[in-house]
Amino acid sequence: MTPWRRIAAVLVLAGLLGWIEVPAQQHSPRGSQPTGTAQGPIRITDEELHRHGGTPPGWRFTVPEGDPRAGRAVFIKLECYSCHRVAGEFFSGGTKDQKPGPELSGMGGMHPTEYLAEAIMNPNAVIITGPGYTGPDGLSTMPDYSELLTLRQLLDLVAYLKSLTPKADGVHRGH
Ligand code: HEC
């Protein structure tokens, strides 16, 4: 056996005996499929599904978990702050002046995740009435983001909004 072969053989043996610790694959939620709902995946046969009218019993639309920090970056990238103030947050470029959209701190404490996702996907599903919130057509002045956001960005953005609890009020970072 050549010295190289011997070293290789020892390494293989060491690996088999578990002497060399192979680092476990880092779990990364980003870029991976969501694993189902908080309760885990619902498993149902096609037949049962049809018998129940097209959805599993008790089913409701759920939004998978996102990353609030990444969502904050999306909020900045898409300049959501140009229309929305978030009390306790300071976005460079955003001013404290009156904004053409509602203030968003406390969103997470007030609304379920699915509502927040809908607010971005379809601003006209629920129109908050307020001065300057609607255009001459009576519809929301919030832009259409359907071509601008990936699903991942939407989930992260929703996670960011969901992280905005009333507790954030009064914590003023920057000015
Ligand atoms: C051009 C101004 C404008 C921009 C830009 C804008 N919005 Fe809005 N947004 C509004 C207005 C006006 C409303 C209130 C009318 C309505 O219900 O759609 C609103 C409503 C909302 C609501 C619902 C608030 C509630 O109390 O139910 C959420 C959530 C929201 N926006 C998030 C966002 C996010 C996230 C972005 C960036 C991706 C964004 N908005 C960008 C104008 C804007």
Side-chain angles (χ1 to χ4, degrees):
M1 215 189 260
T2 65
W4 281 117
R5 285 190 144 215
R6 187 165 303 159
I7 290 168
V10 168
L11 282 177
V12 168
L13 185 69
L16 287 175
L17 293 176
W19 295 343
I20 299 172
E21 216 169 282
V22 180
Q25 212 193 331
Q26 284 281 315
H27 173 71
S28 149
R30 302 196 57 73
S32 57
Q33 278 280 12
T35 49
T37 68
Q39 292 78 43
I42 299 170
R43 296 178 204 280
I44 190 166
T45 65
D46 206 31
E47 257 171 31
E48 269 182 282
L49 199 54
H50 289 178
R51 207 172 39 247
H52 289 287
T55 59
W59 176 89
R60 64 185 196 93
F61 180 78
T62 59
V63 174
E65 228 175 279
D67 175 354
R69 279 185 45 191
R72 188 176 183 275
V74 177
F75 193 89
I76 293 168
K77 189 172 166 228
L78 293 177
E79 300 184 349
C80 307
Y81 59 74
S82 65
C83 288
H84 295 287
R85 225 166 52 77
V86 181
E89 288 269 47
F90 174 74
F91 303 105
S92 57
T95 63
K96 288 185 87 181
D97 307 330
Q98 183 64 39
K99 301 276 184 178
E103 196 276 328
L104 297 180
S105 70
M107 278 285 109
M110 198 152 5
H111 303 295
T113 311
E114 294 73 29
Y115 173 88
L116 296 171
E118 188 185 71
I120 300 166
M121 292 192 295
N122 184 5
N124 289 314
V126 177
I127 298 175
I128 311 295
T129 53
Y133 288 2
T134 48
D137 55 2
L139 297 176
S140 174
T141 53
M142 181 149 151
D144 175 6
Y145 287 104
S146 54
E147 302 281 351
L148 295 168
L149 280 171
T150 65
L151 263 182
R152 172 65 58 196
Q153 287 172 318
L154 173 68
L155 300 182
D156 291 344
L157 200 48
V158 166
Y160 169 63
L161 294 175
K162 191 65 192 162
S163 76
L164 300 174
T165 60
K167 267 179 287 161
D169 286 352
V171 186
H172 286 275
R173 254 186 273 150
H175 47 89

